[in-house]
Amino acid sequence: MKFVLLGPPGAGKGTQAANLSKRYGIPAISTGHIIRQAIEAGTEVGRLAADYIERGQLVPDETVIALVRGRLREPDTQHGYILDGFPRTVAQAEQMEKLGIQVDKVIDIAVEDEVLVERLSGRRECKACGATYHVVYNPPVREGVCDVCGEPLSMRDDDTPDVIRKRLAVYHKQTQPLQAFYRQRGKLYTVNGQEKVEDTTTLVLAAAEE
Ligand code: AP5
């Protein structure tokens, strides 16, 4: 299966991508995580992207598309994949179609803006493997340590209130139109992302199997 996870910043795309990945044995590909790794590594793409991320803006389409194309050439994507955070503009989705990048289902995780600010402020992330936690709603077994790989957890630089507000505005303007784009193609499945993490997981898995 080939999934796209859609939703605003903090909706739970990364959290649910990990669950779908376990369930289907296919990789979860987060463009945000790939870009943050490029920034950490100081690559040319990373240097270009850093400025956009700090301002809560989207990285240019052609840069992100090139990253995704490169990642989808890796052998672990042969039996399917979960795209978390891509496409994020109608232009990216149209380009995907032109390039023959397939999508079976688009699962849209719906959460109100007020809930998202609290979620993102309490988020902790593992820079090494990309696993995501929340200090209250989804804590790691050992405080400050990743359950998956044992590396330390940290806050993301773009999880400050000011940048969160900008990311939400960008989402409504540039990403939300993708709902209509995929609805027209009969691929959109919307789930309520305001339930507890495990209840949202049940809804996401049900949508995936529908
Ligand atoms: P990206 O890393 O994709 O960030 P995002 O879309 O803003 O989404 P988040 O990762 O913030 O949230 P999420 O929905 O994954 O939620 P999570 O599971 O972590 O992108 C970052 C930046 O990279 C972008 O701003 C852009 O600049 C650039 N970029 C990336 N892709 C791009 C593209 N295609 N084109 C251009 N630019 C691109 O959950 C959030 C928190 O809530 C966690 O703490 C979690 O534990 C908790 N939580 C999750 N579910 C629940 C629940 N049900 N109840 C309570 N808490 C919950």
Side-chain angles (χ1 to χ4, degrees):
M1 286 291 280
K2 291 165 180 163
F3 298 102
V4 164
L5 285 183
L6 200 62
K13 301 183 295 296
T15 304
Q16 298 304 333
N19 292 324
L20 278 175
S21 173
K22 264 187 229 147
R23 168 74 181 77
Y24 287 91
I26 53 177
I29 299 171
S30 156
T31 40
H33 183 61
I34 295 174
I35 294 167
R36 282 187 293 280
Q37 281 188 323
I39 294 174
E40 283 279 306
T43 65
E44 199 184 326
V45 166
R47 280 194 296 277
L48 182 146
D51 187 44
Y52 292 94
I53 294 218
E54 276 161 24
R55 288 184 286 122
Q57 302 296 317
L58 296 184
V59 174
D61 290 341
E62 57 277 15
T63 304
V64 182
I65 289 165
L67 288 174
V68 172
R69 285 184 86 186
R71 178 64 184 87
L72 291 179
R73 280 192 207 108
E74 291 180 28
D76 64 337
T77 62
Q78 262 180 8
H79 303 295
Y81 43 78
I82 302 138
L83 295 175
D84 160 11
F86 180 88
R88 205 177 282 235
T89 62
V90 170
Q92 289 179 11
E94 286 171 346
Q95 188 63 19
M96 256 175 101
E97 287 186 348
K98 277 197 198 130
L99 293 168
I101 299 173
Q102 306 284 333
V103 176
D104 299 310
K105 283 189 178 178
V106 176
I107 302 179
D108 181 31
I109 306 178
V111 180
E112 300 292 328
D113 284 9
E114 307 81 73
V115 177
L116 298 169
V117 179
E118 193 207 347
R119 282 197 189 172
L120 292 173
S121 309
R123 170 164 58 188
R124 298 294 178 272
E125 191 191 52
C126 175
K127 280 191 177 155
C129 74
T132 298
Y133 304 87
H134 190 280
V135 289
V136 177
Y137 305 124
N138 186 23
V141 175
R142 262 181 68 208
E143 197 185 323
V145 178
C146 180
D147 292 348
V148 180
C149 69
E151 291 294 317
L153 302 178
S154 55
M155 277 189 82
R156 267 171 47 177
D157 295 340
D158 60 349
D159 278 348
T160 58
D162 187 35
V163 182
I164 292 170
R165 272 192 295 277
K166 286 183 189 146
R167 286 162 61 202
L168 283 171
V170 166
Y171 165 78
H172 289 301
K173 189 161 177 227
Q174 294 184 258
T175 305
Q176 215 163 9
L178 283 170
Q179 292 171 338
F181 181 91
Y182 283 117
R183 192 177 295 114
Q184 275 169 7
R185 285 155 175 76
K187 292 184 177 178
L188 188 77
Y189 295 75
T190 302
V191 302
N192 176 5
Q194 301 206 157
E195 306 293 333
K196 283 193 250 165
V197 175
E198 54 274 25
D199 295 337
T200 303
T201 303
T202 305
L203 297 174
V204 167
L205 294 178
E209 267 145 44
E210 205 175 298

